[in-house]
Amino acid sequence: MSPTTDAAQGGHRLVIVESPAKAKTIKSYLGPGYVVEASVGHIRDLPNGAAEVPEKYTGEVRRLGVDVEHDFQPVYVVNSDKKSQVKKLKDLLVGADELLLATDEDREGEAIAWHLQEVLKPKVPVRRMVFHEITKDAIQAAVRNPRELNQRLVDAQETRRILDRLYGYEVSPVLWKKVMPKLSAGRVQSVATRLVVERERERIAFTSAEYWDLTGTFATGRAGDAVDPGTFAARLTSVDGRRIAQGRDFGSTGRLKDGAPVLHLDESAARALAAALADSTFAVRSVESKPYRRSPYAPFRTTTLQQEASRKLGFGAKATMQVAQKLYENGFITYMRTDSTTLSETAIKAARAQVTQLYGADYLPDKPRTYTGKVKNAQEAHEAIRPSGDRFRTPAETRLTGDQFRLYELIWMRTVASQMKDAVGQSVTVKVAGRAADGREAEFSASGKIITFHGFMKAYVEGADDPNAELDDRERRLPQVTEGDALTADEIDADGHATKPPARYTEASLVKELEEREIGRPSTYAAILGTILDRGYVFKKGTALVPSFLSFAVVGLLEKHFGRLVDYDFTARMEDDLDRIARGEAQSVPWLRRFYFGETRGAVPAAVTGGAAEAGNGDGDHLGGLKELVTDLGAIDAREVSSFPVADGIVLRVGRYGPYVEQTVEGEETSRRADVPDELPPDELTVELARELLDKPSGDFELGADPATGRQIVAKDGRYGPYVTEILPDDTPKTGKNAVKPRTASLLKSMTLDTVTLEDALKLMSLPRVVGADPESGDEITAQNGRYGPYLKKGADSRSIGSEEQLFTITLEEALAIYAQPKQRGRAAAKPPLKELGTDPVSEKPVVVKDGRFGPYVTDGETNATLRRDDDVETITPERGYELLADKRAKAPAKKTAKKAPAKKAPAKKAPAKTAAKKTAAKKTATTATAKKTAAKKTTASKPSE
């Protein structure tokens, strides 16, 4: 059967895609003669551990999953959770005439297609079916025009996978040994973490500077209106020709930069100048008008979509990609992992048609706008992210809801705006001069902007990372004045300012920074951000990314002992090399050999390693020696890499159970220690705070000896709150079957370390307390303190009691009275909300903060999202609450289809056979439709990060 026919004849063609949702949509466009099935993501990969490696492999191959001694041959295994799916695909292939591999059109999609071919071993023709949008025309065109597998893309992706495996599996164990177990290192994730840590170091080293200036409110003497205001504000810019110092004139040390010819006003000087200008006369010194023009923004690519969704919708990068994936699979947008900003001719025509239809011909430029990509080594196969099809559906026409509607609307607006005319207007600068009572001449300046034709801004205006930044469509109107016009000063105010440390990265700005430095692939940034957040290297404070103290230890070790691996330029050059391999300009194996074994390798012929070009690299200087680096760890001092001086002999250390401060006092044998809260941003750990933590009651509070055992009882402040425990003798076995654990109990809410007594401790450690036995059943009743408060327990029947004090006082009679009452079912009366945040922009329902059994959470009545460790009930903003709900919705699993209870059978009346047959067929169709609908809601596993 010819692969170019629209439908199969006398057999079927098996089409394999990644996700069930995608399979369902594509099946509807192909019709009979095609079987469309999902691989459900990757079916084969490098093993996750030695247990998955076949028995024939030993040694390093078993540990790494890569045979570094034999041309870096990877060991691939079928994922255990995909074996049943592989069997299903093999069964479907049995009767097929042709296999079409329709995975995504990028390097990873090409690799998945290759793995499918290798595992399924088809005996029928195999072709690659590629498309960048899921529409009927695009799918049928892809069937008519299949191609062969692109082995160069496969090799490039395999090289990346092997490189990341070697990096992760060789460097991560160093972190386990020297910092903490279960940590991970990665080619891109470690560099991304370093960026966040370096920004925090800048904030720690920053010294704020204070500077002052004046703001004047000037009046023209005319009655103002919206077009010609009567007053305007202007800021002092110079005195006697010397420019007034602004924030940009100061360095991070808090001092003026060398050679800055500026006048630095302090508070007293500013107030004195304001007083001297109070009765002065002012005049317009100059009016400068320039034409203003702003061109549309390019259509979205992956990273710009993530940035704008963060700014405008409050989505994290991961949530953005999850929502975009659903839009793509259901045929609403084109492929969402792309480096390109170009639009196809079809898309340009569709966008221009909508400009005319929605905004009028005046907003349509004479020629279509074209955009060229600025991303180095962009994957050439895709176009920009845009609405799918040859006619764009407006957001209302899609019938989408919630986050999918909001993201589609963003993409639609940006695409349409990209084909509209420029915004034009005038920008005006007015300078005002006046002489102070002491003879000094002061000059003020005001800037205005008038947009005379909004052009593309009618459809879309880009957001900004800085919440205080002015957006492009903001107008500032100044009075219509000319040079020499007299003005009066209504007010002259002295304003104080302080320089601010560099802003922490947000998800949007970190994505932008990684892309500008050409580190990693834009398509993997969402996964990278997810990894550094999940690993605890970074946490969120509002939208800001804050590095943990743990990340300081990890980055410090990598910088000192593996500097090249986290060097920004080195990582970018590696990306260049990998792209050269993809283009066929370099070979994979020599390049990997030099990265892993170094510039020289005795077992490798000189002819192979002699030149940089043979190793797949233009200069060769940046490769070499990972194996040697991770072999000799003697020079790494584990205590040193996890220690950071604060001041006055106080050191911050990162321990296995979290960060703590330690102070060694001269003349004392032991040092003082205090835990540091995990959620404390590193730049907030000042000397004063460190002393405060050390001065808090901490360590062991000796309460006395237990009269029954003679063991010492102590009170401690643990990571999960204060508790009491007993000190066991040194010879007590602590491991093995004869191990003895000390009695331990948490303090009651009414107790503190300062007030707890030996008597209190012994009572706490006596829990659970036997209250007595039920005279009817003989079951023992005990009083216990649990996770959700004090309660009674009789067999499997538990009942809450009113207070913690009752644990020690409740009698058998009182306990029996509680059990005599019917057990309360359902929830207790709802608690009032802790805080009201406003109306959610998606659900349009009120959002509040509530206190739940697992801590405070935000809810709109439909979706609940637990507050993160860096969120605080008192300071949480409405925007942060909406962001948490948006993230939760994006992660929500598909709803299960409820099963209807079987209807009771009524006495059957005999119906004509034809009618009965119709009803049976209809019921069968409905059941099939429901099954398909449920299957379609399953999502593909996330793509792995680098």
Side-chain angles (χ1 to χ4, degrees):
M1 178 178 57
S2 170
T4 58
T5 56
D6 285 344
Q9 299 174 357
H12 74 263
R13 303 164 79 179
L14 177 60
V15 180
I16 301 180
V17 298
E18 291 105 318
S19 77
K22 193 172 168 184
K24 179 190 174 187
T25 309
I26 291 174
K27 173 63 178 174
S28 69
Y29 296 142
L30 292 179
Y34 293 86
V35 174
V36 186
E37 185 56 57
S39 66
V40 195
H42 290 266
I43 63 163
R44 192 172 76 152
D45 198 0
L46 297 174
N48 285 323
E52 293 186 5
V53 180
E55 291 297 328
K56 64 179 181 179
Y57 297 105
T58 58
E60 286 292 273
V61 184
R62 195 167 190 79
R63 180 176 70 87
L64 296 173
V66 177
D67 190 346
V68 297
E69 297 293 344
H70 295 87
D71 290 344
F72 294 86
Q73 281 295 316
V75 177
Y76 289 120
V77 295
V78 175
N79 303 344
S80 58
D81 60 337
K82 297 294 174 64
K83 289 182 178 178
S84 61
Q85 190 66 16
V86 169
K87 182 180 183 304
K88 182 178 181 180
L89 294 173
K90 286 183 175 180
D91 291 343
L92 291 172
L93 190 57
V94 170
D97 299 307
E98 186 176 15
L99 174 61
L100 294 174
L101 300 173
T103 49
D104 291 339
E105 192 184 9
D106 56 13
R107 295 186 187 99
E108 189 166 2
E110 205 74 16
I112 293 174
W114 177 76
H115 282 293
L116 283 165
Q117 181 174 322
E118 292 292 301
V119 171
L120 298 179
K121 296 181 171 51
K123 297 180 180 178
V124 294
V126 180
R127 306 299 298 276
R128 185 81 166 89
M129 175 179 159
V130 291
F131 45 87
H132 62 267
E133 61 181 337
I134 303 177
T135 61
K136 186 172 184 178
D137 289 344
I139 296 304
Q140 291 184 348
V143 169
R144 289 193 297 270
N145 301 284
R147 63 166 171 81
E148 300 301 319
L149 266 171
N150 187 328
Q151 195 60 43
R152 287 194 322 208
L153 289 181
V154 174
D155 291 344
Q157 182 63 23
E158 183 174 70
T159 305
R160 286 173 185 274
R161 189 72 188 93
I162 294 171
L163 170 65
D164 291 337
R165 170 55 64 97
L166 295 175
Y167 191 121
Y169 273 49
E170 293 288 20
V171 181
S172 297
V174 178
L175 301 181
W176 305 344
K177 294 173 185 175
K178 300 296 183 177
V179 181
M180 190 184 298
K182 298 183 180 180
L183 297 180
S184 74
R187 177 171 59 92
V188 179
Q189 78 170 54
S190 296
V191 175
T193 305
R194 184 189 172 201
L195 281 169
V196 180
V197 168
E198 282 200 334
R199 179 59 54 87
E200 196 73 8
R201 288 172 179 163
E202 292 173 11
R203 291 174 63 87
I204 292 170
F206 182 82
T207 302
S208 183
E210 186 181 76
Y211 61 96
W212 287 69
D213 58 17
L214 305 182
T215 300
T217 302
F218 299 98
T220 63
R222 303 188 301 269
D225 55 32
V227 177
D228 183 18
T231 62
F232 66 101
R235 189 171 292 280
L236 179 70
T237 55
S238 67
V239 175
D240 287 338
R242 289 184 67 191
R243 184 169 64 82
I244 299 298
Q246 298 295 307
R248 64 180 182 273
D249 298 311
F250 295 88
S252 61
T253 60
R255 298 181 180 180
L256 284 169
K257 295 176 181 176
D258 293 338
V262 295
L263 175 61
H264 181 197
L265 295 180
D266 59 17
E267 182 177 4
S268 61
R271 294 193 184 282
L273 181 57
L277 288 167
D279 299 321
S280 301
T281 58
F282 294 87
V284 175
R285 171 167 283 179
S286 66
V287 178
E288 185 180 2
S289 181
K290 295 180 180 178
Y292 166 85
R293 180 175 292 274
R294 187 75 170 85
S295 297
Y297 323 99
F300 282 131
R301 59 181 190 273
T302 301
T303 53
T304 53
L305 176 63
Q306 291 170 0
Q307 291 167 46
E308 272 294 84
S310 174
R311 297 170 188 139
K312 288 183 176 289
L313 308 180
F315 291 179
K318 186 175 180 181
T320 299
M321 297 310 290
Q322 287 172 334
V323 177
Q325 179 91 27
K326 292 175 184 176
L327 290 173
Y328 166 66
E329 290 178 346
N330 289 296
F332 289 104
I333 63 170
T334 54
Y335 190 53
M336 66 286 161
R337 293 187 182 91
T338 174
D339 304 326
S340 175
T341 56
T342 59
L343 291 175
S344 65
E345 275 189 45
T346 300
I348 290 174
K349 287 178 182 177
R352 287 174 64 84
Q354 278 199 329
V355 171
T356 305
Q357 176 189 351
L358 299 174
Y359 301 100
D362 290 343
Y363 286 83
L364 187 71
D366 294 334
K367 295 181 179 179
R369 290 186 181 273
T370 57
Y371 297 88
T372 55
K374 296 180 181 178
V375 180
K376 191 175 180 181
N377 298 318
Q379 296 195 52
E380 57 288 322
H382 310 143
E383 61 174 311
I385 304 169
R386 61 166 177 85
S388 59
D390 55 8
R391 178 194 171 276
F392 296 164
R393 286 168 282 188
T394 64
E397 289 174 328
T398 63
R399 297 187 180 180
L400 291 166
T401 58
D403 291 344
Q404 290 190 48
F405 175 88
R406 297 172 71 202
L407 192 64
Y408 178 85
E409 183 181 46
L410 194 71
I411 295 167
W412 174 81
M413 290 190 300
R414 177 92 164 209
T415 308
V416 172
S418 74
Q419 291 301 314
M420 295 175 72
K421 281 185 177 179
D422 291 350
V424 295
Q426 291 287 322
S427 61
V428 181
T429 301
V430 175
K431 293 189 176 180
V432 178
R435 190 168 294 278
D438 58 9
R440 289 183 291 174
E441 186 178 67
E443 184 176 272
F444 293 77
S445 180
S447 297
K449 181 176 71 177
I450 301 171
I451 301 174
T452 55
F453 178 71
H454 279 78
F456 74 93
M457 290 182 185
K458 280 282 188 182
Y460 186 83
V461 178
E462 188 171 69
D465 292 323
D466 181 358
N468 299 316
E470 189 174 274
L471 300 183
D472 287 337
D473 63 341
R474 171 76 182 274
E475 286 191 313
R476 298 182 307 278
R477 287 188 176 269
L478 295 179
Q480 295 175 11
V481 293
T482 58
E483 187 176 328
D485 284 357
L487 302 171
T488 57
D490 289 350
E491 283 183 292
I492 301 288
D493 296 321
D495 296 327
H497 311 276
T499 56
K500 295 180 180 180
R504 290 190 178 100
Y505 287 109
T506 62
E507 287 200 28
S509 60
L510 183 57
V511 163
K512 185 178 180 181
E513 184 74 15
L514 288 168
E515 185 175 39
E516 287 179 350
R517 289 179 179 269
E518 299 170 0
I519 293 169
R521 299 303 317 163
S523 60
T524 66
Y525 289 158
I528 294 299
L529 287 168
T531 298
I532 64 176
L533 285 163
D534 294 343
R535 295 286 184 185
Y537 293 148
V538 171
F539 62 92
K540 278 190 173 184
K541 187 176 182 181
T543 58
L545 297 175
V546 184
S548 63
F549 289 105
L550 172 63
S551 68
F552 270 69
V554 169
V555 169
L557 183 151
L558 293 175
E559 285 175 331
K560 187 170 182 179
H561 300 280
F562 301 90
R564 190 165 40 187
L565 297 184
V566 288
D567 179 79
Y568 304 130
D569 292 337
F570 169 75
T571 308
R573 288 200 301 271
M574 275 205 297
E575 206 64 53
D576 285 342
D577 290 348
L578 291 166
D579 285 315
R580 294 182 71 240
I581 292 170
R583 296 193 298 269
E585 298 170 6
Q587 295 178 343
S588 170
V589 172
W591 189 90
L592 285 169
R593 184 179 291 123
R594 295 185 62 192
F595 170 78
Y596 191 71
F597 290 116
E599 296 290 335
T600 57
R601 169 76 162 150
V604 181
V608 177
T609 60
E614 289 86 349
N617 167 45
D619 55 33
D621 294 338
H622 64 279
L623 289 178
L626 174 64
K627 182 62 177 174
E628 184 178 353
L629 284 173
V630 299
T631 300
D632 183 12
L633 304 181
I636 302 178
D637 186 328
R639 187 174 178 82
E640 180 188 348
V641 299
S642 296
S643 302
F644 307 93
V646 179
D648 299 342
I650 301 173
V651 178
L652 181 285
R653 302 195 194 280
V654 179
R656 296 208 166 206
Y657 304 106
Y660 62 93
V661 284
E662 182 177 47
Q663 184 179 36
T664 303
V665 181
E666 191 174 346
E668 295 186 11
E669 293 185 4
T670 58
S671 58
R672 294 198 300 160
R673 291 185 180 185
D675 289 332
V676 174
D678 287 329
E679 66 278 6
L680 181 73
D683 74 334
E684 294 181 16
L685 181 62
T686 60
V687 183
E688 294 74 23
L689 179 57
R691 288 200 192 103
E692 184 182 328
L693 292 170
L694 289 164
D695 291 339
K696 279 185 179 179
S698 61
D700 298 356
F701 287 77
E702 294 188 5
L703 303 178
D706 182 349
T709 64
R711 295 172 183 169
Q712 283 294 318
I713 307 299
V714 296
K716 296 187 174 189
D717 190 10
R719 299 200 70 77
Y720 305 105
Y723 66 99
V724 291
T725 187
E726 61 182 346
I727 305 298
L728 299 177
D730 292 338
D731 58 353
T732 304
K734 295 180 175 59
T735 57
K737 62 181 181 180
N738 297 321
V740 177
K741 291 185 177 181
R743 291 176 296 159
T744 300
S746 296
L747 267 59
L748 303 183
K749 292 178 181 177
S750 59
M751 298 176 178
T752 66
L753 288 171
D754 296 332
T755 61
V756 68
T757 65
L758 175 62
E759 183 183 0
D760 294 332
L762 294 174
K763 284 167 63 177
L764 289 170
M765 291 192 296
S766 70
L767 296 175
R769 179 176 73 90
V770 177
V771 177
D774 185 335
E776 292 185 8
S777 64
D779 290 338
E780 189 176 73
I781 301 175
T782 58
Q784 305 189 31
N785 199 16
R787 180 176 184 180
Y788 307 116
Y791 66 99
L792 296 172
K793 187 173 179 66
K794 181 179 73 169
D797 192 354
S798 300
R799 304 291 178 95
S800 296
I801 55 179
S803 67
E804 292 177 320
E805 285 69 24
Q806 283 186 281
L807 288 166
F808 310 106
T809 61
I810 193 167
T811 64
L812 178 60
E813 291 72 21
E814 291 170 333
L816 292 173
I818 290 174
Y819 276 104
Q821 299 295 322
K823 187 164 185 177
Q824 301 232 343
R825 300 288 179 185
R827 299 182 178 179
K831 297 179 183 178
L834 302 177
K835 189 174 184 179
E836 296 180 356
L837 298 180
T839 302
D840 184 80
V842 177
S843 65
E844 299 183 347
K845 294 187 176 182
V847 177
V848 296
V849 183
K850 289 190 172 184
D851 190 15
R853 64 162 56 180
F854 302 112
Y857 65 97
V858 290
T859 180
D860 63 351
E862 294 180 350
T863 305
N864 300 338
T866 304
L867 266 61
R868 309 284 169 80
R869 66 178 182 179
D870 51 300
D871 295 318
D872 180 73
V873 174
E874 297 299 324
T875 59
I876 188 171
T877 62
E879 291 74 18
R880 176 58 176 160
Y882 308 151
E883 179 189 8
L884 290 170
L885 291 174
D887 285 348
K888 186 62 181 287
R889 292 188 196 103
K891 297 174 183 175
K895 292 180 181 178
K896 295 181 180 179
T897 305
K899 292 183 179 179
K900 290 186 178 180
K904 292 183 180 179
K905 291 184 179 180
K909 291 184 180 180
K910 287 193 176 182
K914 190 173 181 180
T915 306
K918 280 185 179 178
K919 285 186 176 180
T920 305
K923 188 173 182 180
K924 186 174 182 182
T925 305
T927 305
T928 306
T930 303
K932 286 182 179 179
K933 187 174 183 179
T934 305
K937 291 187 178 181
K938 293 183 181 178
T939 54
T940 312
S942 300
K943 294 195 174 186
S945 61
E946 295 186 10

